[in-house]
Amino acid sequence: MQSCTSLEAGKIYRFVDGVDTCVTPMTDQEISQTLNDPFAAAILRKGLFPNSVDAIATTVAGSGLNLQQANYLVGEGSQIPTTIASREEPRNLRYVLTWGTSQTSAQILLSAASGGNSSFLQVVAWNPQSNKYNFYEFREQVGETSGASTKVWSWAGDSAMAQTGQSIGQGCFDCHRNGVVIMKELAPPWNNWHSQLARISPLVVPLTVAQEKFFNKLSGAQDLEQVVRGGFQTYYRNWLRARFKTQGGTVQLSDVNQMLRHLITNTTINLTSTQIQSDGANTSPANSDVSGIPNDFFLWDSALKTGLSLSYTIPPITFKRQDYDNYLNTHNFKLVQSDFTQPNGSPLYKQNGSTYFSFFLPVPAAEDLFMLTQMRSNKIVNDKFIAALLMVDFKNPVFSEKRSSLQQYADQITTGTITNGVSSVPTDFADKVRTVAAGQRTCDPTNFDQCTAEQQFLKTWDLPDDQWKTVVQRQIQSYLDEFKTIAATEQLDRLMRLNVKRQAQFQSWPTIQNLDEFSLLLPQTDLLR
């Protein structure tokens, strides 16, 4: 094993996981070329090296950047009452602090544990020169452990490294898969966040946290949602612009394969839920029935209906409170704090039931939807092509091995053109798919689900331009109408089992599973046995 040189305070270091073997000092040239975000320019490059959440906040405030600070709090155990776990027991509480020109923008973001002595400090800062995010960690040398070791600020890479070379899926990019700021629960009701829909009480957090200035000036997740959305939208707009060059009346496209990832695969995932609490004692009025399952659970509705303006109706589904409660009890749903254990090795605590808001589930990412809308508006892809891709295994909007297998064709298309408003990308892709489909056994057109990914794609793609919408809408509506004919108890069982399956896929999907960071995020249940 390589021996790494001891670290010295007062220097800027780098360690890009997967690329570097040791934490090493950055050269002046590297610093001047790479570190041009406000955190580096106004703090690190000025010889300021804050070593705590308090110190970072104080340093940014005195830096002359004139940025507004906002404080946010998330914790998977933040709604577990003190009758289950005392306030001093761990609830996986973390702060996100942001500094921006307004409450809903951020040029610097800090992630750290609450309580004043966080051993983990990660900063993400926007570099306006490169139009990328820079990632930083306050860390020790490779091979050393926290404690007496010297800790330094280390550059951990930028947005581009999330998708290039040996750094893919490594270090910061094991969660920030696309190199942008993320928020798993990016839409109401923001299950684990302090928000306008579920406040985190000062009575359930450790006393030291309740007394912190950050806790006493919390903003709601509804504001952080806007920060995160604005952040990744700015990045993707600039990313696309750099790959969209007009030459002599023809648009030259590059990195087309990376663009298509957002349509074909789940590059990342968001989590959402109903706005009805799982515990009927918490609903208003008490014991309200469970309704409002997110539409993206059934199919990628945000893309098909909102994005492509397809017309179909998702039937309203409501579970009677007693049926829902009985189901949770029968199948032993419980939240388990197994990140920390009792002396005998058993989980520290557990709470019967499910997540705070009911039907907490993975859905297609807002990042992927935004990229879809940008590619569509820039005429890189057309509506029929998008529909042909999304109708492959359309009943599984997330974690579809069948649809993801089509990325092999996208990876063969790195460039493209747009001439007179017509993109070469859809035809190039379809031609590659057709070549392979020609050698496949003919599928039964009445059993669409059993057809290969290639055959499903071509079934929509080969429809006449004036007919595809009608056919697709009819196919979707036929699937959705099946739910109307199912008895209420069977409907509950079917949908709960599907949700548990999706949660298990979230925990095991190779490029997504690192987002499953804490044991309290998802409930355990005997449905997984």
Side-chain angles (χ1 to χ4, degrees), residues 321-356:
R321 168 56 61 177
Q322 190 62 52
D323 292 342
Y324 177 78
D325 290 348
N326 288 343
Y327 196 91
L328 295 185
N329 291 331
T330 300
H331 294 287
N332 197 27
F333 278 75
K334 58 183 178 295
L335 294 173
V336 180
Q337 176 55 286
S338 58
D339 297 329
F340 301 86
T341 59
Q342 298 183 33
N344 64 4
S346 62
L348 187 61
Y349 59 83
K350 64 180 180 181
Q351 176 183 356
N352 292 332
S354 191
T355 50
Y356 185 70

Side-chain angles (χ1 to χ4, degrees), residues 260-416:
L260 294 179
R261 285 175 54 246
H262 296 274
L263 300 183
I264 298 171
T265 73
N266 299 121
T267 67
T268 185
I269 283 291
N270 286 131
L271 297 166
T272 189
S273 67
T274 76
Q275 294 192 31
I276 305 296
Q277 289 85 346
S278 288
D279 186 343
N282 293 325
T283 66
S284 181
N287 295 312
S288 296
D289 293 339
V290 175
S291 61
I293 297 174
N295 288 346
D296 282 349
F297 173 72
F298 300 97
L299 72 171
W300 196 3
D301 180 73
S302 297
L304 292 165
K305 179 176 284 185
T306 308
L308 301 185
S309 299
L310 296 184
S311 178
Y312 52 83
T313 301
I314 298 176
I317 292 177
T318 299
F319 302 134
K320 294 294 184 182
R321 168 56 61 177
Q322 190 62 52
D323 292 342
Y324 177 78
D325 290 348
N326 288 343
Y327 196 91
L328 295 185
N329 291 331
T330 300
H331 294 287
N332 197 27
F333 278 75
K334 58 183 178 295
L335 294 173
V336 180
Q337 176 55 286
S338 58
D339 297 329
F340 301 86
T341 59
Q342 298 183 33
N344 64 4
S346 62
L348 187 61
Y349 59 83
K350 64 180 180 181
Q351 176 183 356
N352 292 332
S354 191
T355 50
Y356 185 70
F357 287 101
S358 59
F359 238 84
F360 189 55
L361 53 91
V363 292
E367 293 176 44
D368 290 341
L369 179 63
F370 182 74
M371 277 294 285
L372 180 155
T373 61
Q374 290 298 294
M375 287 186 280
R376 179 175 182 256
S377 64
N378 284 290
K379 299 184 177 180
I380 298 169
V381 293
N382 56 41
D383 286 5
K384 184 179 176 182
F385 178 72
I386 295 171
L389 285 175
L390 299 190
M391 288 303 292
V392 176
D393 198 20
F394 73 96
K395 300 174 186 178
N396 290 303
V398 292
F399 311 126
S400 169
E401 292 183 357
K402 180 172 285 188
R403 187 169 53 256
S404 296
S405 72
L406 295 178
Q407 185 61 30
Q408 64 182 304
Y409 307 109
D411 286 340
Q412 301 172 41
I413 307 172
T414 56
T415 61

